Amino acid sequence: MTSTQASHASVKADAPADAFTHKLAAVADAVEAFLADRLAPETQAGEITRPPRLMEAMRYAVLGGGKRLRPFLAVEAARMLGGSEAGALAAGSAIELVHCYSLVHDDMPAMDNDDLRRGKPTVHKAYDEATAILVGDALQTLAFEILADAAWQPDAAIRADLVLGLAKASGLGGMVGGQLLDLGAEGRFGPVSLGVDDTLQLQAMKTGAILAFSVDAGAIVGGASADERAALLRYGLALGQAFQIADDILDREASPEAMGKATGKDKEAGKATLVDRLGLDGARAECDRLVGVCEEAVSRWGARAETLREAARFTVARKA
């Protein structure tokens, strides 16, 4: 059995006791194996060579850490709809590469200037800034290479939908645009005062767009109807918003040891958060409301959607 076949088998593993945490861990293991294969040092078909330093730094940035929530959402949405779990795993892993690229670039001195990520030195600290830039570039392009590969999804229309969806979610109208708005909220480009609606828009782009697309990717692979995709998009958008609010609460309350990175920096930098706008109690109440939105959005699937409901509850209850 190849490592890729083993990763597919691990996604299908039944969870004995704590169903949700076992499923999350099983998908994380499958993603790790899939990405380790894609980031192997050996030159692949159509390539001239794989520079060893670049491959080492890419593996450092991607492997051995993270909950892999984004691919988990893709796999579980596809599973719920009876779609290809192998196709959803590949799509989710591509999304994870985009997420990892964004972290590498966010950590750099011109952005958030962080020294630690997941409890170890950030890529630009472990290597250098030029290597970190190229790592992010290479992870992003590899993500689209995976989505466009017929080996994982033979249907060309589905591949096109996945590529288009990830491009929009991660680009100027999504994650990248949201990052720019986030920098602007710090006052880097002049005085600014964001209200609740402005903050929600910023966070929907910066964090929510990729999380929402993770669910939509599973819907695409699972052959969802337009109405089903709309329902899952409502779930994904609410989940993305809840995730960001929970992250902002953790930045205020969690220890650096628990988070694996510095905490309290968002407040120091003057970043726009709903914790500032609503207070901690108000932010927690909004998280609870958003979990309700998630649960309502997937109610049509009954018991088949229980894992997605648990994912929403996990998002707001996590401690790191």
Side-chain angles (χ1 to χ4, degrees):
M1 179 182 287
T2 67
S3 59
T4 300
Q5 289 170 330
S7 74
H8 293 167
S10 69
V11 174
K12 299 175 186 293
D14 291 327
D18 184 343
F20 179 78
T21 56
H22 279 272
K23 283 183 179 180
L24 185 63
V27 172
D29 288 345
V31 170
E32 186 82 1
F34 183 92
L35 292 178
D37 277 356
R38 307 286 79 72
L39 294 170
E42 295 79 20
T43 302
Q44 305 296 301
E47 299 175 345
I48 297 173
T49 190
R50 290 189 160 194
R53 180 178 177 82
L54 181 60
M55 296 311 304
E56 179 186 308
M58 290 171 71
R59 291 173 68 87
Y60 180 89
V62 171
L63 302 179
K67 294 176 283 295
R68 312 301 192 192
L69 178 61
R70 291 154 189 82
F72 178 78
L73 292 169
V75 168
E76 285 303 324
R79 192 202 307 266
M80 183 184 74
L81 295 166
S84 164
E85 293 179 23
L89 176 66
S93 296
I95 296 167
E96 186 71 5
L97 289 178
V98 168
H99 172 59
C100 291
Y101 121 67
S102 75
L103 299 181
V104 172
H105 282 188
D106 287 353
D107 288 338
M108 294 184 66
M111 300 283 280
D112 287 347
N113 194 23
D114 280 315
D115 294 341
L116 291 176
R117 170 70 64 181
R118 295 170 180 165
K120 64 182 185 180
T122 49
V123 175
H124 70 277
K125 286 291 184 180
Y127 294 88
D128 58 81
E129 291 183 29
T131 300
I133 292 170
L134 294 173
V135 163
D137 294 345
L139 292 176
Q140 182 188 42
T141 52
L142 180 59
F144 286 98
E145 180 182 326
I146 290 169
L147 287 187
D149 192 337
W152 315 116
Q153 179 48 254
D155 189 316
I158 290 178
R159 293 200 305 273
D161 275 353
L162 290 170
V163 168
L164 179 62
L166 184 56
K168 287 187 173 181
S170 62
L172 61 92
M175 182 185 72
V176 172
Q179 293 288 8
L180 190 283
L181 293 177
D182 193 42
L183 295 176
E186 298 176 11
R188 292 200 187 193
F189 315 124
V192 64
S193 178
L194 299 186
V196 171
D197 289 345
D198 296 321
T199 302
L200 287 172
Q201 181 185 68
L202 181 163
Q203 294 182 343
M205 294 169 66
K206 176 187 174 185
T207 305
I210 290 289
L211 275 165
F213 178 68
S214 301
V215 182
D216 193 36
I220 292 169
V221 172
S225 66
D227 190 47
E228 288 173 329
R229 278 185 72 178
L232 286 168
L233 181 60
R234 288 198 303 276
Y235 170 94
L237 291 171
L239 183 75
Q241 190 177 332
F243 182 95
Q244 184 60 62
I245 297 171
D247 213 47
D248 293 337
I249 293 172
L250 286 171
D251 186 67
R252 297 294 178 86
E253 296 189 329
S255 68
E257 291 75 23
M259 295 294 286
K261 62 180 182 179
T263 56
K265 291 188 67 178
D266 288 353
K267 186 173 179 63
E268 292 175 11
K271 288 187 178 292
T273 73
L274 283 188
V275 174
D276 290 322
R277 307 303 185 262
L278 303 177
L280 281 168
D281 289 342
R284 290 192 186 95
E286 181 62 6
C287 279
D288 291 340
R289 184 190 73 80
L290 290 165
V291 169
V293 173
C294 290
E295 292 177 339
E296 184 280 328
V298 297
S299 59
R300 69 177 66 195
W301 287 284
R304 285 189 293 154
E306 182 55 28
T307 302
L308 289 180
R309 285 189 283 270
E310 289 176 329
R313 295 190 286 268
F314 167 81
T315 293
V316 302
R318 61 197 169 91
K319 302 300 181 185

PDB file of all heavy atoms in Angstrom, residues 41-51:
ATOM      1  N   PRO A  41      11.284  15.179  -1.801  1.00  0.00           N
ATOM      2  CA  PRO A  41      12.420  15.874  -2.433  1.00  0.00           C
ATOM      3  C   PRO A  41      12.676  15.471  -3.870  1.00  0.00           C
ATOM      4  O   PRO A  41      13.318  16.212  -4.616  1.00  0.00           O
ATOM      5  CB  PRO A  41      13.599  15.495  -1.536  1.00  0.00           C
ATOM      6  CG  PRO A  41      13.186  14.228  -0.865  1.00  0.00           C
ATOM      7  CD  PRO A  41      11.699  14.302  -0.690  1.00  0.00           C
ATOM      8  N   GLU A  42      12.182  14.300  -4.289  1.00  0.00           N
ATOM      9  CA  GLU A  42      12.464  13.814  -5.635  1.00  0.00           C
ATOM     10  C   GLU A  42      11.746  14.653  -6.691  1.00  0.00           C
ATOM     11  O   GLU A  42      10.569  15.005  -6.526  1.00  0.00           O
ATOM     12  CB  GLU A  42      12.034  12.350  -5.781  1.00  0.00           C
ATOM     13  CG  GLU A  42      12.813  11.382  -4.916  1.00  0.00           C
ATOM     14  CD  GLU A  42      12.351  11.366  -3.468  1.00  0.00           C
ATOM     15  OE1 GLU A  42      11.203  11.803  -3.205  1.00  0.00           O
ATOM     16  OE2 GLU A  42      13.133  10.937  -2.604  1.00  0.00           O
ATOM     17  N   THR A  43      12.439  14.949  -7.768  1.00  0.00           N
ATOM     18  CA  THR A  43      11.867  15.725  -8.869  1.00  0.00           C
ATOM     19  C   THR A  43      10.699  14.963  -9.489  1.00  0.00           C
ATOM     20  O   THR A  43      10.770  13.759  -9.716  1.00  0.00           O
ATOM     21  CB  THR A  43      12.939  15.989  -9.936  1.00  0.00           C
ATOM     22  OG1 THR A  43      14.033  16.677  -9.318  1.00  0.00           O
ATOM     23  CG2 THR A  43      12.379  16.838 -11.065  1.00  0.00           C
ATOM     24  N   GLN A  44       9.614  15.685  -9.754  1.00  0.00           N
ATOM     25  CA  GLN A  44       8.402  15.096 -10.311  1.00  0.00           C
ATOM     26  C   GLN A  44       8.342  15.320 -11.824  1.00  0.00           C
ATOM     27  O   GLN A  44       9.076  16.143 -12.386  1.00  0.00           O
ATOM     28  CB  GLN A  44       7.177  15.712  -9.633  1.00  0.00           C
ATOM     29  CG  GLN A  44       7.178  15.607  -8.116  1.00  0.00           C
ATOM     30  CD  GLN A  44       7.131  14.179  -7.618  1.00  0.00           C
ATOM     31  OE1 GLN A  44       6.205  13.445  -7.931  1.00  0.00           O
ATOM     32  NE2 GLN A  44       8.141  13.773  -6.856  1.00  0.00           N
ATOM     33  N   ALA A  45       7.443  14.595 -12.478  1.00  0.00           N
ATOM     34  CA  ALA A  45       7.272  14.718 -13.927  1.00  0.00           C
ATOM     35  C   ALA A  45       6.954  16.162 -14.298  1.00  0.00           C
ATOM     36  O   ALA A  45       6.124  16.810 -13.658  1.00  0.00           O
ATOM     37  CB  ALA A  45       6.145  13.802 -14.402  1.00  0.00           C
ATOM     38  N   GLY A  46       7.629  16.670 -15.321  1.00  0.00           N
ATOM     39  CA  GLY A  46       7.405  18.033 -15.780  1.00  0.00           C
ATOM     40  C   GLY A  46       8.237  19.076 -15.068  1.00  0.00           C
ATOM     41  O   GLY A  46       8.180  20.258 -15.417  1.00  0.00           O
ATOM     42  N   GLU A  47       9.012  18.669 -14.060  1.00  0.00           N
ATOM     43  CA  GLU A  47       9.877  19.590 -13.323  1.00  0.00           C
ATOM     44  C   GLU A  47      11.328  19.423 -13.768  1.00  0.00           C
ATOM     45  O   GLU A  47      11.723  18.343 -14.215  1.00  0.00           O
ATOM     46  CB  GLU A  47       9.775  19.332 -11.813  1.00  0.00           C
ATOM     47  CG  GLU A  47       8.386  19.533 -11.237  1.00  0.00           C
ATOM     48  CD  GLU A  47       8.299  19.160  -9.761  1.00  0.00           C
ATOM     49  OE1 GLU A  47       9.225  18.473  -9.248  1.00  0.00           O
ATOM     50  OE2 GLU A  47       7.305  19.532  -9.129  1.00  0.00           O
ATOM     51  N   ILE A  48      12.106  20.463 -13.625  1.00  0.00           N
ATOM     52  CA  ILE A  48      13.541  20.384 -13.926  1.00  0.00           C
ATOM     53  C   ILE A  48      14.292  19.862 -12.705  1.00  0.00           C
ATOM     54  O   ILE A  48      15.072  18.912 -12.792  1.00  0.00           O
ATOM     55  CB  ILE A  48      14.084  21.755 -14.373  1.00  0.00           C
ATOM     56  CG1 ILE A  48      13.400  22.180 -15.677  1.00  0.00           C
ATOM     57  CG2 ILE A  48      15.613  21.704 -14.539  1.00  0.00           C
ATOM     58  CD1 ILE A  48      13.735  23.581 -16.131  1.00  0.00           C
ATOM     59  N   THR A  49      14.062  20.465 -11.556  1.00  0.00           N
ATOM     60  CA  THR A  49      14.643  19.990 -10.299  1.00  0.00           C
ATOM     61  C   THR A  49      13.860  20.601  -9.156  1.00  0.00           C
ATOM     62  O   THR A  49      13.079  21.536  -9.348  1.00  0.00           O
ATOM     63  CB  THR A  49      16.132  20.355 -10.188  1.00  0.00           C
ATOM     64  OG1 THR A  49      16.701  19.675  -9.058  1.00  0.00           O
ATOM     65  CG2 THR A  49      16.321  21.854 -10.003  1.00  0.00           C
ATOM     66  N   ARG A  50      14.070  20.066  -7.969  1.00  0.00           N
ATOM     67  CA  ARG A  50      13.482  20.604  -6.756  1.00  0.00           C
ATOM     68  C   ARG A  50      14.626  21.062  -5.855  1.00  0.00           C
ATOM     69  O   ARG A  50      15.292  20.229  -5.231  1.00  0.00           O
ATOM     70  CB  ARG A  50      12.607  19.565  -6.040  1.00  0.00           C
ATOM     71  CG  ARG A  50      11.322  19.232  -6.775  1.00  0.00           C
ATOM     72  CD  ARG A  50      10.376  18.380  -5.950  1.00  0.00           C
ATOM     73  NE  ARG A  50       9.017  18.489  -6.473  1.00  0.00           N
ATOM     74  CZ  ARG A  50       7.920  18.088  -5.835  1.00  0.00           C
ATOM     75  NH1 ARG A  50       8.019  17.545  -4.628  1.00  0.00           N
ATOM     76  NH2 ARG A  50       6.730  18.232  -6.384  1.00  0.00           N
ATOM     77  N   PRO A  51      14.852  22.382  -5.738  1.00  0.00           N
ATOM     78  CA  PRO A  51      15.978  22.862  -4.925  1.00  0.00           C
ATOM     79  C   PRO A  51      15.867  22.354  -3.484  1.00  0.00           C
ATOM     80  O   PRO A  51      14.827  22.556  -2.835  1.00  0.00           O
ATOM     81  CB  PRO A  51      15.834  24.386  -4.990  1.00  0.00           C
ATOM     82  CG  PRO A  51      15.083  24.623  -6.273  1.00  0.00           C
ATOM     83  CD  PRO A  51      14.144  23.483  -6.407  1.00  0.00           C
TER      84      PRO A  51
END
